[in-house]
Amino acid sequence: MERLDKVLANLGYGTRKEVKALVKSGAVEVDEVLVKDSGMNIDPEKSEIKVNGEIIRYRKYIYLMMNKPDGVVSATFDNYDETVVDLLDEEYQVFKPFPVGRLDKDTVGLLLITNDGELNHRLISPKWHVDKVYYAEIDKVVNEDDVNAFKRGITLDDDYKCLPGKLEIVKADEDGSQVYVTIQEGKFHQVKRMFEAVNKKVVYLKRVKFGGLDLDETLEEGEYRELTEEELNALKEV
Ligand code: URA
């Protein structure tokens, strides 16, 4: 059970004081009964709450998949740049969500955004070895030596030795290469630095998979949607 004012405040209907006034004004019904006491206890999962005649959907957590666009930072707030949270509608922003891990400003693709701190922690902890798959375009010819170097574990410019990574070549010719890279870590600029270690440059980077979650290719860059129950379960099973 939770206090009605807390539930409504969490859903973005204002401060407790504002919510109290709202309830007093007769705008709120619980299970078809007009209520006036904002301190009443309700079961938000079971009760039907209406505000101004509209049923509101209660949930504690939201889970969104975004196809992150180029030029936007993976943060909740930034002094200069637009953030992925800025791109969300108000109905989602009230949950105070944050991105799970980070993609570089110029990296596009799958980004999970949630307010579930526990799941976030689990997904970004190096302990859990969550696979992240990136599609990358590289300026030069990627070859089997690179595949083997990734498999052994690349040593970055700061002497950090990466866990073994999987490198799959889709296409490689004098125009450059298209590859898929699977890593389980998330060091700063990791994929770009792994290629720098083999004297190559990433010219385009897109995350296509995160744990059990695949990027929904019908999402245009900058678009997002809630995860389906199936997707959420797959993510939690990681
Ligand atoms: N590796 C990078 O270099 N950049 C990203 O955004 C993600 C992985």
Side-chain angles (χ1 to χ4, degrees):
M1 301 293 269
E2 279 190 71
R3 283 176 61 114
L4 177 62
D5 53 3
K6 186 170 167 219
V7 171
L8 289 172
N10 285 346
L11 287 167
Y13 285 90
T15 60
R16 289 248 187 141
K17 205 168 149 201
E18 287 162 347
V19 165
K20 193 172 173 186
L22 184 75
V23 174
K24 262 235 163 87
S25 76
V28 180
E29 284 170 61
V30 176
D31 295 327
E32 308 275 325
V33 179
L34 191 81
V35 297
K36 288 286 176 90
D37 173 14
S38 60
M40 75 183 285
N41 277 309
I42 61 161
D43 181 344
E45 311 277 349
K46 297 212 176 94
S47 285
E48 181 194 87
I49 308 166
K50 273 191 199 166
V51 177
N52 293 323
E54 292 217 18
I55 297 179
I56 58 173
R57 189 148 65 101
Y58 178 78
R59 49 225 164 117
K60 200 161 174 189
Y61 298 122
I62 53 155
Y63 303 90
L64 304 172
M65 165 194 305
M66 177 181 281
N67 184 356
K68 179 195 167 295
D70 182 16
V72 171
V73 294
S74 306
T76 49
F77 172 79
D78 193 275
N79 271 323
Y80 302 100
D81 290 309
E82 195 171 32
T83 72
V84 291
V85 172
D86 292 333
L87 297 180
L88 303 178
D89 285 340
E90 176 69 19
E91 70 168 298
Y92 292 114
Q93 289 194 4
V94 297
F95 287 91
K96 303 206 165 30
F98 46 83
V100 176
R102 276 167 187 265
L103 291 177
D104 295 337
K105 188 172 163 184
D106 63 353
T107 300
V108 300
L110 178 52
L111 185 67
L112 185 67
I113 301 174
T114 183
N115 58 340
D116 182 342
E118 206 172 305
L119 183 71
N120 172 56
H121 186 74
R122 210 148 72 80
L123 290 173
I124 59 176
S125 159
K127 237 183 25 217
W128 286 83
H129 294 227
V130 175
D131 272 352
K132 290 139 200 148
V133 184
Y134 296 87
Y135 165 78
E137 293 177 2
I138 312 297
D139 66 337
K140 297 196 187 104
V141 178
V142 175
N143 57 34
E144 285 305 311
D145 289 344
D146 300 324
V147 173
N148 291 326
F150 273 53
K151 206 185 281 175
R152 284 194 301 271
I154 295 278
T155 301
L156 300 179
D157 47 8
D158 59 1
D159 289 335
Y160 175 79
K161 187 165 188 290
C162 299
L163 290 174
K166 190 161 114 190
L167 175 57
E168 295 162 273
I169 303 170
V170 179
K171 184 201 116 198
D173 57 34
E174 59 281 3
D175 294 333
S177 308
Q178 297 174 350
V179 300
Y180 283 100
V181 184
T182 306
I183 56 173
Q184 296 178 328
E185 303 161 287
K187 301 283 168 212
F188 185 61
H189 296 329
Q190 183 161 344
V191 174
K192 292 173 186 165
R193 288 162 71 208
M194 286 168 86
F195 279 100
E196 273 163 26
V198 293
N199 296 312
K200 297 178 176 77
K201 195 168 157 27
V202 172
V203 293
Y204 176 83
L205 191 61
K206 175 182 186 177
R207 184 156 65 190
V208 295
K209 202 170 161 73
F210 185 89
L213 203 61
D214 290 303
L215 175 65
D216 178 345
E217 293 284 351
T218 68
L219 291 175
E220 300 279 338
E221 283 181 21
E223 287 185 340
Y224 60 91
R225 66 160 171 80
E226 291 191 36
L227 295 191
T228 64
E229 210 161 312
E230 232 173 31
E231 287 171 332
L232 185 58
N233 290 338
L235 199 62
K236 286 184 170 171
E237 269 166 26
V238 164

